Amino acid sequence: MTETKSALEAGRKIVAILNPELEGQLSEKYDGLVSDFAETLVEWGYGRHYARPGLDLKTRQLCTISALTVLGGQTSPQLKINIRHTLAAGATRTEVVEAIWQMAVYGGLPAAINGLNAAQELFDEMDQAA
């Protein structure tokens, strides 16, 4: 088995936990623009990074939402997706909010407020769907 195939399989296992529909959604949206976009993202992002030993999936996801928060409001769509993934990885809403709020120290209050807004919007959507 090649290293790439192994990483793709590892990535698909993680995606199955976080969002089983993700690869298909990405393929439908982006593969027409960038050939094999979805498979590349799953193989590289999830199979080579998220699958690494040393941190559990929940911690990796909390790191991801922290980074997206610091990057600012333009990341709101990705932040919402990754907040959902973080919850699927076992984090609580309180842990998500605290990870975002902690970023006020590093990314500033505007970035943290944008992150909290994204979290609240997602929580409201989830509560309405329940």
Side-chain angles (χ1 to χ4, degrees), residues 106-128:
Y106 302 98
L109 283 170
I113 290 168
N114 286 337
L116 292 171
N117 286 338
Q120 187 62 62
E121 289 170 15
L122 178 64
F123 296 159
D124 289 346
E125 290 170 19
M126 292 173 71
D127 291 344
Q128 290 173 2

Side-chain angles (χ1 to χ4, degrees), residues 15 19-31 37-38 81 84-85:
V15 167
N19 179 356
E21 307 300 318
L22 182 64
E23 188 172 358
Q25 291 167 340
L26 292 170
S27 179
E28 185 177 311
K29 189 165 186 174
Y30 298 111
D31 281 1
F37 175 90
I81 289 166
R84 190 178 294 272
H85 291 176

Side-chain angles (χ1 to χ4, degrees), residues 14 22 27 53 60 64 83 99 103 126 128:
I14 291 171
L22 182 64
S27 179
R60 286 190 190 280
T64 300
I83 290 170
M103 294 306 101
M126 292 173 71
Q128 290 173 2

Side-chain angles (χ1 to χ4, degrees), residues 48-128:
R48 295 190 183 273
H49 292 271
Y50 279 74
R52 290 177 54 83
L55 289 177
D56 61 64
L57 187 55
K58 180 176 109 172
T59 303
R60 286 190 190 280
Q61 279 299 142
L62 287 167
C63 291
T64 300
I65 63 172
S66 297
L68 289 169
T69 297
V70 169
L71 287 171
Q74 76 275 10
T75 67
S76 183
Q78 293 82 14
L79 182 56
K80 286 181 182 179
I81 289 166
N82 278 282
I83 290 170
R84 190 178 294 272
H85 291 176
T86 303
L87 296 170
T92 65
R93 288 183 181 195
T94 300
E95 289 172 316
V96 166
V97 168
E98 288 299 323
I100 292 169
W101 181 238
Q102 181 67 24
M103 294 306 101
V105 176
Y106 302 98
L109 283 170
I113 290 168
N114 286 337
L116 292 171
N117 286 338
Q120 187 62 62
E121 289 170 15
L122 178 64
F123 296 159
D124 289 346
E125 290 170 19
M126 292 173 71
D127 291 344
Q128 290 173 2

